[in-house]
Amino acid sequence: MIPKALAVSLTGICGPDGVIADRDRLLVYESDALTAYRHRPGAVVLPRTTDEVRRAVQAITRHGLPIVPRGAGTGLSGGAVPLGGAVVIGTARMNRILSIDAANRRAVLQPGVINAELSAAAAAHGLYYAPDPSSQTACTIGGNVAENSGGPHCLKYGVTSRYVTGLTVVLADGSVVRLGGQGREAPGYDLVGLFVGSEGCFGIATEIEVGLLPVPEGVRTLLGIFDRIEDAGRAVSDIVSAGLLPAAMEIIDGPTIRAVEDSVFAAGYPTDAEAALVIEFDGLEAGLDAEAARAAEFCRCAGAREVRSAKDEEERLALWKGRKKAFGAMGRIAPDLLVQDATVPRTTLPAILKGISEIGKRYGLVVANVFHAGDGNLHPNILFDRRDEDELERVERASKEIMQICVDSGGTITGEHGVGLDKKHHMPLIYGEAELDTMWGIRRVFDPGEVLNPGKVLPEETDPAARASRDDGAVGEKPAAAPAPAHA
Amino acid sequence: MSEAAPAAALVPDRVVLPESAEEVQAVVLEAGEAGTRLLPAGRGTWLGAGGWGVDPGTRSEPGGGGEAGGRSESGGGTDNPRIVSTERLDAVHHYEPADLTLTAGAGIGLDHLARVLEPNGQWLPFDGPACDTGTLGAAVASGVSGPLSARYGATRDNVLGLEVVTGDGRILRIGGRVVKNVAGYDLVRLFTGSRGSLGVITRVSVRLFPRPDADVTLLFGGDAAGAVAAARRVCTHEVPVAAVEVIEGDEGGVGRAAAVAVRLLGGVDEVDESRARIVAAAGADPSAALEGGESRAFHERRIGWEAGAGVVARLAALPDRLAETLACARAVAAQTGGATSADAMQGVVRVKGSCGEGDLAALAEGLLRGRREMAAAGGTLTLSQAPAEVAARVGWTGGGGEEGGLTSRIKSLFDPDSTLAPSCP
Amino acid sequence: MSAATDTLTLALKEQEEGLLNCVHCGFCLPACPTYRRLGDEADSPRGRLHLMRAVVEDRLSADSDAFQRHISRCLGCRACEPVCPSGVAYGQLLELARQVGGEARRPPLLNRLLLRVFGTGWIARPAMFAARMLRATGIPALSARLLSGDSTPKGARLGVAMLAASGSAGALPEAADPAHPASDPAAGSDRSSGNGTPPADSTPPAAPTAALAASPPPTTVGLLTGCVQAGLFSRVNEATARVLEANGYEVVPVPGQGCCGALHAHAGDLEAARAMARRNVEAFETAGVDLLAMNASGCGAAMAEYGTLLAHDDRMAERAAALAARVRDVSELLAARGPLPGAEVPMQVTWDAPCHLLHAQGVASPPTTVLNAVPGLEVLPLAGAQECCGGAGIYGLTHPRLGGWIGADKVRSVLDSGAAALVTGNPGCMMQIGAGLRLRGSSVPVLHLVEILDESYRRAGRYRPEVP
Ligand SMILES: Cc1cc2nc3c(=O)[nH]c(=O)nc-3n(C[C@H](O)[C@H](O)[C@H](O)COP(=O)(O)OP(=O)(O)OC[C@H]3O[C@@H](n4cnc5c(N)ncnc54)[C@H](O)[C@@H]3O)c2cc1C
Ligand code: SF4
Ligand code: SF4
């Protein structure tokens, strides 16, 4: 709970209905979409403007409390989970599109604008916003910026950071800075690029300028059905090696297929298949059929039992629906879900997929895979029930092994969901002390007092300041207490 | 943001050619201790992009690698910076064509790299200034993108990972070699375009692309105003194109005051179709159409467009202000007897010229006026090559924005003693 | 926690698996009208489910302000259901939560009174309904105006009368309408009893129906006349019967039927809702109809869920489920038969999808099919057509401010659509939007879907020609 005086000043800034300080009501802010972590915030404020954010930040820091920005809370790494009684600054009311500049194919918006709604608004100008996380109907652009989100079509079009051209940011000291803007030619360091993906630790983005693309004229969607997931992985690799550049290539594995088909979003995938590969080409109508035909041939050569193509927009949407709603549909098979997000070099996909299923078998766990195959970005979802303690333990071990084989293949621990709370202890798998020290340093460039989203991204044990104080014998106070996650 | 006072035509203390990141580290540490300033470079062909007016003529031939590099002729006292060249870090460390990624030493020449990729039908579509013969590391350090970035993304969008030696001598391996990676803060983007002010880039991982089957350039000749209007029409047209340039003077090669070069890349059917539709939209047949190797060669030549120019500036604003940006660039060009070349998709206009005989003070005035005009419209004017006297008066970038001291704090995090010569980009 | 709450929490606990289905993905947030306006996750579906789960986990008391406030603020519009990838049965969980919350703390007097009103069929006429309610509760001025004087008497004349009187309908040349000389549009209503009994004299003209009836054997349907409609919307019931008959259905009277119990269930008074459900199961079974026709989507959604509501009733469970499977919205019945075309109704209308039709029953296209079958009718797009109008049963009365806000947005988009009339399929929505329009000084009428078709048929002379 926050001090009364703070509640009063926040109410003065955001209005009585813009401040939530009642303990019970705060319960709903204890998690994001990764429910393994639960930490109740000290309060929640819902500002409407940059200036309200600035004043709220100043008020909160005056009371020495940490701050956690929150968009739609669809994050899958515990990024928006408030540690240490932090005050959440939610962007739900900062949801206006400030301008769409069709002549320059860009838009300026508040951070709480929902990804899909930006594209819907831009459609009037024949434009759209390219990065399309599977959560696009719910997640905010502010959250996308913080996580540098990707999506199925990022195979061809690239991830969020390619499209963010300017930012207005409120820093931890309450100052407001403008980075980039009016296109992206500003001289100097690429601070926009540095901010994108900073997971709420560098500042609160309060205005975002993004680039838009013309809506592609034509689309072809294929569905390859495979009896072995490794074959699907090989088809992906072959298609890319052949010089084809699909807009998206997504794999949905057997357990996931069965969950989806069992849900209200049944897309008509055969339930006895072990993998479905969705391939999409877009662009000018001319040439699309030929590209699709070539990709279909690669699928057949790799062993697809069947290749379908969506006959119309309705079928196309149904194919995608199954993919985009897959995560939710898994809620039907098991109460809890641990989502992983490793990226591996595309050519190692078949071997890694095999490795993952072996690890699953060894620990007696169901691992459902649904992922951005074209980018080599895997999402092995380990299904479990947190009420079963023995299972919890196995989940933890299996998850670590999976991450390890991905890293060993030349991959990384997170491709798009971010490190957050969930993967910070795995950062040493890919970075040494020098790199982690540097990241701590960069964090302090933006936020010297570690006010913003403390306890995220970087493991405390790598914090040079904390190390130094330990060396001095000054034991005790940790910079930010990060309680052990429920599943760890 | 503090700005480096540009040096006069630079005579390096010496040029060192290390062969590994550890050797670079030794050079950096040694320079730090001795208080010698270091200037990171590739082949030194376009040191200007480092914001440091170096005369490429001072580059020396490698003199025996090994231990912290060879020495070239000593150019005087220790006040002069020492050039650390990555030229010998030119190995290809990892190239798996099916992954469309490559890791190589920063010193690999982009021409050499192109030859490595060619047999697999792949390429790295970097077409910024001097991306023809410069090194990979320098292209990343300068971070300046060319007209193809509208289709393929800017340089920063295609760099996946880096190995760098920071100004205080730490070796960092940041990012990775997979195409999607959000583990930790994005230091790769920070280093891309940092112009050697934070560290020496020693190794680079990049994302590659398949070379498209068809490559066509349509050249539409016309008067200057007509060319801008036509270019804008193509830019906002529904048919996606790879690049649109407005080239003034003879260089368009169509015998008109200006030419619009529209580049189409893609599958054969796709390019045929785009071509027909772009021609229909233009309302006139192109003055010339270059296909395949001809088209490619035309653009490759344009990459080296600035080479040898005494003054080079880059003006940028939103694309729909292209006419104004061009007008501003022309004013500068007029003073230098130079030319302009515009990337219509990005709204960037490059100016090059010579300044042999001209009145340098007047040139500086003209550049400053141009910068003021650009700034008034939310744009920028940056210098990438100029006589020391001009650069001193104008400044390479014109100073930073309202970044609240972030830039200098970042600089001191990596290079606290300002060992690296360009203090900030 | 009191003993009573304890037992009820057990009921919610039984649903734990249902709650656990929620993977916290947040896909439902943007669909929720209360979250969109308030921005507080506690007023979102995910937030409300989280609060329910906290009660089940004993981390939150059902008596707490947080639980009470946010559960009661839910519109029950169920816009969160179709977007949920996990198939969380939000509507059912909400009813349970309301029951738990209601036991933990007596719901406000207003709610209880309103529910009594609906349950006992106290009122046959809307004016009485509004007047009594106002007297009993002294609800704020806004809602007072909403239901009092200027809206209700006019509201009773809404629809066909307004259709005939409206500018666009007037554009229809008289000559094109030989079978329907200018007559009092209300005349038709006088001829029926108003309880769902098909008017004896509304048998469709021989030629078209004979052909139509020849192919499929006549399906018998029983019309739920409902509590609200019976009084307020008898003309809608009459029109429903006429258009169904015209399309070859045989409308059979169902004596003994009563209120569907939807409002009670939504409010968490599940016991009362069950009693009503049992009564209706008996009544419709006795009538022996093939299908149940619904012209109030709120009631339709409730009856379609009788199986779940009575799942624990050994005697009734199976019968209820069987009956529920035969529930159809009138638009579905009509769309299944074409519907039969009528005469031109040259006007521009817009369609607002009732939540309990679109979200709760997943009926999306049949209403459009019906409207598109009316010659001359142009259906303009309505921004936010899939969003709740704020009526939500008694919501506009219990949460005047938020309900008013949501309602005002709907009214604005209706006016922005440029349509000459709004068409929808639920009496609650008709009242809410109609009153909202009038408060804004607009004369745009609100019509039930069947009224448009009815008018088209009348103009086409499908009903017995009227003797001048
Ligand atoms: C079913 C499902 C599918 C998903 N699919 C994808 C996918 O395909 N690709 C993908 O990349 N992700 C995916 N995600 C993850 C998630 O949707 C993204 O990370 C998204 O960008 C989070 O946005 P949000 O608005 O929900 O942010 P939140 O979860 O609220 O916050 C995420 C982080 O951003 C910070 N933050 C939020 N707003 C701001 C701001 N204005 N300024 C600074 N920091 C801020 C928070 O502090 C937090 O650290 C998926 C999630 C789900 C549940
Ligand atoms: S959409 Fe469904 S699973 Fe997702 S948060 Fe909402 S109720 Fe839960
Ligand atoms: S029923 Fe309607 S108001 Fe209630 S949570 Fe669902 S969407 Fe929101």
Side-chain angles (χ1 to χ4, degrees), chain C residues 22-28 46 49 84-86 88:
Chain C
C22 172
V23 293
H24 226 72
C25 67
F27 280 21
C28 50
R46 178 172 74 177
L49 289 164
C84 172
S86 279
V88 171

Side-chain angles (χ1 to χ4, degrees), chain C residues 31-34 43-45 48 74-80 90:
Chain C
C32 176
T34 57
D43 283 311
S44 77
R48 292 181 175 121
C74 172
L75 291 156
C77 71
R78 298 169 66 177
C80 44
Y90 181 84

Side-chain angles (χ1 to χ4, degrees), chain A residues 355-380:
Chain A
I356 291 174
S357 87
E358 274 160 17
I359 293 171
K361 269 194 211 108
R362 189 143 31 82
Y363 287 101
L365 294 166
V366 179
V367 184
N369 249 308
V370 46
F371 59 98
H372 312 300
D375 289 320
N377 187 186
L378 297 164
H379 292 320

